Each structure stands twice: as C-alpha cells, then as structure tokens.
Amino acid sequence: MPARHLVVREIDRAEAAVIDRLGAAGVATAHEAAGRIGLLGPHVLPRQQGAAIAGSAVTVLCQPGDNLMIHAAVEVCRPGDVLVVATTSESVTGMFGDLLATSLAARGVRGLVTDSGVRDIAVLREAGFPVWARGVHAQGTVKASAGSVNVPVVVDGCPVRPGDIVVADDDGVLVLPIERGAEVADAAEARIAGEEAKRAQFAGGALGVELYGLRPLLERLGVEYVDRLPEGER
C-alpha cells in the first residue's frame, strides 16, 4: 500500500493565556518545571539573538530538499501558531526563506522551528521573523514530493505532536503536551518567584553551598577542604 499523505486542517490548541505564561517563563525555567522533558537536542539553534516565542505547533513532514508541504501548511496556520518542520532524513538544505516568512507572518505565525536549514537569514532577522534551525544554507529546494501536515514528527530527537505547546528562545526549543501546559506554567512561575529570592541572597554575598545545604553532601562524597596542597602535589 502506498504511503498516505495528509493535510490535517483542524488540531487542538492550548489556551492562549497558558501559552503566553510559558513563553514568559522561558525555555530553561519551563523545562525544569516540567521535570526536564520535551527539550529539543542541541542541533536546532536560534538563528538570531533575543527572540522569544511560544505558540501551538503546526507540524510539517517534508522530503529533504523539497519544501512543497511547507507551502501547503501555510493555509492551515492560525495566529499564534509556530510552524515545526521535519524531514524524512537528515537535511540542512535552505528550505525556508524570506518569502515563506512573509506568508506566515501575514497569518500571524510566530516563528519557525526546523530540523533542516533556512536561508535569507539577514532578511529574516531584519524582518523580525524568528527561526530555530539545524543550519543556514543557501542551497535551494524543489516543490515536487508529497509529505504531510499536522501529523506527529520528530525534531532533533524530540517527538512533536500537532498542537503541542512550543516555547523557543536563546536557550533552545521546548515542546510540551497541551494537557500539561497549565500545570507547568504554575510550577514555572513558582520557580521564578523562588529564584528572585535566591538572586537577592546571592547579590548580598550568600554562597550556594550554604543556600542549598550542600556541605553535608560534599562531606558524604568525600570532598576534603585543605588550606593548601601539600608540597609534593602542587
């Protein structure tokens, strides 16, 4: 039986308020609050500085070097979405550039996350359309091969389902299930409050070994404090 290729028009999305709370928390804090799940690997990187977004994943599965299905995906995007593009095998071809970014921006899409490559990066930065990508490469693409839109994909080792909450900033990209969004947002805000209190203590000269009660642990691990190394060990 031939492979089935789909464009799924309707997906579930998290509440906008929950998405915005997670975006305000940021990738690192939300990742910790979620129990350290959902983080993309280290190969999909921000291709600009200072951009921070959160939105609902519209997923795309393409053939390497072919961006036909990205064009097909634009039609089903809604304001607040993040386009998440995977390929069926590893690729860094420049599958996305300024024209597609212009089309997505017109539909209110907040950014792109892709396991492949992008190009026109200077124009994308100037336009303020943020991308997180495996590479930047000028090699163009064709529009010839079938794929799918809004099916489960894997991006840099992380499963992404249509409608998952995507949080992306300078620290990377985090993907969370819709059903965990509010819980993680609550935990992230609690972490932020606790970190603000610790920051004030650190600014006042507090030591982490005292603040976190680490001296007993160091002792149990056999770490010794000495004033100086013995003569023969220097």
Side-chain angles (χ1 to χ4, degrees):
M1 180 181 293
R4 192 178 184 203
H5 304 293
L6 302 171
V7 175
V8 180
R9 296 189 181 93
E10 297 294 333
I11 62 173
D12 294 329
R13 291 170 170 85
E15 293 181 7
V18 170
I19 292 172
D20 290 344
R21 289 170 64 200
L22 288 165
V27 169
T29 297
H31 180 234
E32 294 287 348
R36 299 186 179 181
I37 66 162
L39 191 65
L40 266 63
H43 305 103
V44 172
L45 301 173
R47 299 299 168 174
Q48 62 284 305
Q49 291 185 333
I53 63 170
S56 298
V58 169
T59 61
V60 187
L61 184 62
C62 295
Q63 300 297 322
D66 191 315
N67 71 354
L68 173 64
M69 299 312 297
I70 300 179
H71 286 274
V74 174
E75 184 178 12
V76 303
C77 289
R78 295 182 184 175
D81 286 344
V82 175
L83 198 67
V84 179
V85 179
T87 52
T88 57
S89 61
E90 188 171 318
S91 170
V92 291
T93 304
M95 296 180 64
F96 184 93
D98 72 298
L99 294 180
L100 273 167
T102 301
S103 183
L104 287 173
R107 300 187 75 85
V109 174
R110 292 177 173 174
L112 170 83
V113 174
T114 179
D115 214 0
S116 188
V118 297
R119 64 180 186 172
D120 304 328
I121 194 67
V123 180
L124 294 177
R125 289 171 179 163
E126 183 178 0
F129 190 89
V131 297
W132 285 257
R134 181 176 285 269
V136 176
H137 199 270
Q139 178 65 50
T141 58
V142 298
K143 299 170 179 59
S145 305
S148 291
V149 176
N150 280 330
V151 299
V153 298
V154 176
V155 178
D156 205 2
C158 181
V160 185
R161 299 176 301 174
D164 278 351
I165 302 167
V166 178
V167 184
D169 59 25
D170 284 341
D171 286 333
V173 181
L174 178 69
V175 178
L176 296 171
I178 294 172
E179 58 271 19
R180 291 207 59 198
E183 163 211 337
V184 174
D186 288 344
E189 288 166 355
R191 285 185 64 87
I192 290 170
E195 287 173 357
E196 286 296 330
K198 288 185 177 70
R199 187 173 293 108
Q201 290 173 287
F202 282 131
L207 296 174
V209 289
E210 301 288 356
L211 197 57
Y212 296 115
L214 299 178
R215 292 201 188 278
L217 174 61
L218 291 168
E219 184 177 353
R220 287 198 304 273
L221 293 173
V223 178
E224 299 179 53
Y225 282 80
V226 297
D227 290 332
R228 295 177 64 85
L229 280 175
E231 187 69 31
E233 298 180 20
R234 295 180 189 172

